[in-house]
Amino acid sequence: MNIVLYELCGADVGRPFSPYAWRVRMALKHKGLDFECRPKPFTEIPAIAPHAGKTVPILVDGERTICDSWAIATYLEDAYPDRPSLFAGEGGRAAAKLIEGWVNASISSLIVRLIIKDIWDVLGPADQAYFRETREARFGMSLEEVQAGREGRLAELGTALLPLHLMLKSQPFIGGDAPLHTDYLLFGTLQWARITSPFQLVDPGSPVGQWRERCLDLFDGFGRSVTAA
C-alpha cells in the first residue's frame, strides 16, 4: 500500500505550504520512499483522521496513521532502517530534537509575524475566515497590524539565524557534508515562507541563503517543484 501524506494547501491545491509537512516531504525523499500527497485546506483537516490528530501532517502507512512531523520522522527512521538514515545515529536524533525546538520557538515565531497577512492572501474564502478569527485572537490585533513594519523587524530574524550563518561558513549542510533531518527542520519553515510570501527573508548570497538553495536542489530539485510566491 502506498504511503499517503496529508498536508496543508490554500486556494491552489498545487501549492502545499505547511512547514511541518515539508519536513516530512523531505524526510520521505531522503528515505527514498514513494508517497502520495493529499493537500487539504485548514477547514477540512479535522475530518481526515480525528482519532490521530487534528493538524497536518498526517501520514498513513498501511495500517499506521501518525500525526505530528517529529513523530512521523522518528517512525520513518525506525520503520525503514535499511533506507538512508535521517539522523545518522542516536546522537544525531538528539541534535535534531534540539534543532526542532530552536526552529519552532525562535525562528517560526519570528517568521509568522513577517508573513501572516501574506498567508491569508493565498487561502480560500472559508479558510480566510477561520485563519483571521483564530490568528487575530492569538495575537490580539489584526493580521495587517501583526505584519506591519516588517522591514524594520527583519534584522531580528538575522540575529536568530546567526549561529547557523556561522556554521554554514565551514560546511554545506547542518548535517555536515550531506543533509540530515536537522536540515529539513529549518528548510520546511523557510519553504513555508517562500511559497506563501514574496517578502525576502534571507539574502540569497549569504551562507544561509546559499544553504537554502542547496536544499531546494536536493532530490532533483524537489523543493523547487512548488515555485516561490
Side-chain angles (χ1 to χ4, degrees):
M1 185 178 294
N2 289 339
I3 295 173
V4 176
L5 174 64
Y6 290 93
E7 55 186 354
L8 178 65
C9 67
D12 183 349
V13 297
R15 300 182 62 76
F17 60 81
S18 164
Y20 305 104
W22 269 100
R23 295 175 183 181
V24 174
R25 276 174 157 245
M26 299 298 281
L28 288 162
K29 282 291 186 179
H30 185 103
K31 283 286 188 183
L33 296 167
D34 294 329
F35 60 100
E36 174 192 349
C37 291
R38 295 184 185 174
K40 299 288 184 180
F42 277 109
T43 47
E44 294 183 17
I45 290 170
I48 295 171
H51 62 287
K54 296 182 179 180
T55 60
V56 292
I58 295 171
L59 187 88
V60 179
D61 185 10
E63 297 182 354
R64 291 293 305 274
T65 300
I66 309 105
C67 178
D68 178 78
S69 60
W70 178 259
I72 293 170
T74 57
Y75 165 77
L76 293 174
E77 183 75 348
D78 297 338
Y80 297 96
D82 57 323
R83 302 297 184 108
S85 175
L86 289 167
F87 303 115
E90 288 306 306
R93 191 186 300 234
K97 190 60 178 173
L98 172 63
I99 295 294
E100 184 200 39
W102 169 64
V103 172
N104 291 349
S106 299
I107 305 303
S108 296
S109 60
L110 289 173
I111 288 177
V112 70
R113 292 176 176 271
L114 301 174
I115 65 169
I116 193 165
K117 173 56 168 54
D118 294 339
I119 297 171
W120 182 88
D121 288 338
V122 305
L123 303 178
D127 273 12
Q128 284 184 328
Y130 161 81
F131 190 81
R132 184 174 288 277
E133 178 183 357
T134 57
R135 271 50 177 184
E136 290 185 350
R138 179 183 302 175
F139 288 103
M141 63 183 76
S142 70
L143 302 181
E144 290 79 4
E145 289 172 317
V146 175
Q147 188 170 293
R150 61 184 174 180
E151 293 80 6
R153 292 182 281 111
L154 188 56
E156 297 176 23
L157 178 61
T159 299
L161 288 170
L162 181 58
L164 180 62
H165 174 94
L166 297 174
M167 168 187 270
L168 293 171
K169 284 185 173 182
S170 59
Q171 61 191 62
F173 293 100
I174 301 173
D177 291 334
L180 292 172
H181 198 60
T182 47
D183 292 271
Y184 310 142
L185 291 165
L186 179 60
F187 173 74
T189 292
L190 294 182
Q191 183 77 327
W192 164 51
R194 173 182 171 271
I195 292 168
T196 58
S197 174
F199 189 58
Q200 187 69 258
L201 294 178
V202 298
D203 177 359
S206 69
V208 175
Q210 293 173 350
W211 163 84
R212 185 180 67 172
E213 292 299 306
R214 288 192 288 274
C215 288
L216 287 166
D217 287 337
L218 292 171
F219 316 120
D220 298 320
F222 181 65
R224 299 186 193 277
S225 63
V226 180
T227 56

